[in-house]
Amino acid sequence: MLEQLHPVSYDLVTRDGDAGLELTRPYWDALASHARYFFQLPEWVGGLPSEGMTWFAVLDGTSPAAVGALSRYTRNIWRKRLRILGSGVRMDGRIDNGMSFCGISLAHPTADPRAVVDRLLGYYQHDTKWDMMYMYQLRRDTLWHHAPVRMLATERPGIAVLDTDVPSADFWNAAPRNLKDGLRKSRRRLEREGLRTDIVEARRPAEVSDAFDAFVGLEGRGWKRSMGAYVGRPEAGAFLKRFLTSAARSRRVSLRSLLIGGRLAASQLAVQVQDSLFLFKMAYDETMRTVSPGNLLMSDLVTRACDDPSISRIDCVAPPTEWHSRWGMREEPTYRLVDFNCRTVTGLAGAAAWTGRRVARSRRTSTSPADMSLELRPSSGVPVA
């Protein structure tokens, strides 16, 4: 049930497609200085494919309290064709493409986020063009994280984050011994072989563009070629390249490359927003794995981040793996939002199926459905065909 618990005093404007982006673009620009995540930046939002997107701005008088976008798409779930309203972005012919982040939205810090969400839910509860509301990888303290608790669940795994708010000397003193030993062995091997190492950082738009192309080539030659490399996802790769080159005009974009003997050995794509450095992707030359070029480049990044007072964390924009654990990274939770629209027959059926599965799972795990973090109650309303 999409409920409103706060008095609503905000106005709402919404529109689909390209017209919606143009309508909300001034509001994105007005709120840009309050962005905490890369997916809240105007450069990111402005490059999104507008097909299937619905854009909104929540206004306090004439000033934006919040702005955002949701996508509309269909998916077969439980042998039913459900119309989804959520956070998926279609690129390269699919929704789950590594570019669907977090229920794209940005609120002014003085806005009441729960009242803003209530205003949006109040609008969408009268919309019969969706059956299921579904958002994933929601970050803490972003707009949709303030939805009613019954609509939210903590995802596992979350996101790997490395805290860098200590001097680099303190970080390396506390770092795991096997990590430090491995880095020392790699450096000694390079010294024995007389190979020079250089780290090149691209920050200007033209440099970023060239460095991105080099990254794509390096990534496409390794094991990631069949595991999400941009060489196999040209639309997603072109989108990220546009974002990085555009953001490089006014923000701290950094594409870092490690050269060994003048040859590209490892590369990183990153952008800084507030005190977070978002590390989108890394790639390394697998023919040089004996000297661990990815770890060597990462060690330099960590040292620089620890000694840079403007950076307090490296956000890896990915679930934690064994590699992240070796670097002492922690897991930051992300959240999933789910609800069903019972103004539609399919939404009703979906709510029943979802709740049934939750009850069955609770019985298998000896957990009371009432104690589960995502006990769904469908949105109220009259079913329509």
Side-chain angles (χ1 to χ4, degrees):
M1 181 168 58
L2 294 177
E3 59 203 18
Q4 295 182 13
L5 301 181
H6 290 237
V8 175
S9 59
Y10 293 119
D11 296 321
L12 174 66
V13 294
T14 180
R15 196 167 297 170
D16 296 340
D18 291 333
L21 174 59
E22 292 308 310
L23 174 70
T24 58
R25 191 187 297 273
Y27 303 126
W28 286 107
D29 292 337
L31 294 176
S33 63
H34 305 298
R36 294 181 55 205
Y37 298 95
F38 63 91
F39 53 83
Q40 297 174 323
L41 297 175
E43 294 91 344
W44 180 274
V45 174
L48 290 172
S50 58
E51 181 181 359
M53 301 290 287
T54 179
W55 303 82
F56 63 80
V58 181
L59 305 178
D60 185 2
T62 58
S63 301
V67 65
L70 295 170
S71 61
R72 297 183 187 270
Y73 59 97
T74 58
R75 174 157 293 177
N76 288 320
I77 304 177
W78 312 305
R79 299 181 182 178
K80 300 182 184 299
R81 191 72 169 170
L82 268 66
R83 297 169 300 170
I84 310 296
L85 180 66
S87 58
V89 175
R90 182 175 297 279
M91 290 186 190
D92 297 306
R94 48 195 286 256
I95 294 292
D96 296 322
N97 50 44
M99 287 296 179
S100 300
F101 289 103
C102 321
I104 299 166
S105 60
L106 175 58
H108 193 281
T110 63
D112 181 343
R114 183 59 191 276
V116 170
V117 170
D118 286 345
R119 181 68 178 91
L120 290 166
L121 295 180
Y123 171 80
Y124 287 115
Q125 83 172 30
H126 297 292
D127 181 353
T128 58
K129 297 178 182 178
W130 63 277
D131 305 306
M132 181 181 185
M133 184 176 285
Y134 180 63
M135 302 178 212
Y136 51 98
Q137 291 187 346
L138 295 174
R139 296 299 191 99
R140 181 183 298 160
D141 295 330
T142 53
L143 180 63
W144 290 106
H145 184 224
H146 295 275
V149 172
R150 62 172 185 78
M151 297 171 64
L152 296 170
T154 302
E155 293 179 322
R156 288 289 183 269
I159 296 294
V161 172
L162 181 66
D163 294 313
T164 60
D165 53 353
V166 296
S168 60
D170 293 347
F171 176 90
W172 289 112
N173 285 337
R177 181 174 178 178
N178 60 345
L179 174 64
K180 292 186 286 188
D181 287 346
L183 291 168
R184 276 194 292 268
K185 289 178 182 178
S186 295
R187 292 177 182 126
R188 287 198 206 104
R189 182 185 292 268
L190 290 170
E191 290 175 3
R192 286 197 305 269
E193 296 179 7
L195 292 174
R196 174 178 170 175
T197 62
D198 296 285
I199 293 178
V200 179
E201 189 169 17
R203 287 189 176 274
R204 297 178 180 177
E207 298 171 344
V208 167
S209 178
D210 292 341
F212 184 87
D213 291 341
F215 174 92
V216 171
L218 179 64
E219 182 190 45
R221 293 193 295 271
W223 63 270
K224 290 183 180 181
R225 182 179 181 86
S226 59
M227 299 287 290
Y230 288 130
V231 69
R233 296 190 296 147
E235 190 176 354
F239 167 78
L240 188 58
K241 181 179 179 178
R242 288 193 303 271
F243 164 69
L244 292 171
T245 54
S246 177
R249 297 185 179 96
S250 58
R251 304 185 189 280
R252 293 189 64 177
V253 171
S254 173
L255 274 65
R256 307 174 75 253
S257 301
L258 171 65
L259 306 180
I260 296 180
R263 176 179 163 189
L264 180 61
S267 185
Q268 298 169 332
L269 312 178
V271 63
Q272 184 177 344
V273 184
Q274 303 288 3
D275 63 344
S276 296
L277 184 69
F278 293 94
L279 184 58
F280 289 104
K281 266 200 168 191
M282 298 177 287
Y284 66 93
D285 187 336
E286 294 178 16
T287 66
M288 298 185 181
R289 63 166 60 91
T290 55
V291 293
S292 303
N295 281 342
L296 291 174
L297 186 57
M298 186 67 184
S299 68
D300 182 79
L301 178 67
V302 170
T303 297
R304 289 176 180 272
C306 286
D307 293 336
D308 185 339
S310 73
I311 301 174
S312 67
R313 62 203 293 273
I314 298 174
D315 186 315
C316 289
V317 200
T321 64
E322 182 181 350
W323 182 86
H324 295 106
S325 298
R326 288 201 296 270
W327 284 90
M329 298 192 190
R330 60 181 173 86
E331 180 181 345
E332 188 168 273
T334 59
Y335 303 88
R336 182 178 65 248
L337 181 153
V338 180
D339 203 19
F340 292 91
N341 188 354
C342 284
R343 296 175 69 86
T344 73
V345 171
T346 306
L348 270 174
W354 183 279
T355 301
R357 286 172 177 261
R358 299 290 293 177
V359 171
R361 186 183 303 172
S362 72
R363 289 173 177 170
R364 290 196 303 269
T365 59
S366 300
T367 304
S368 168
D371 295 333
M372 302 184 77
S373 59
L374 191 60
E375 181 64 18
L376 292 176
R377 299 178 183 86
S379 306
S380 62
V382 179
V384 298

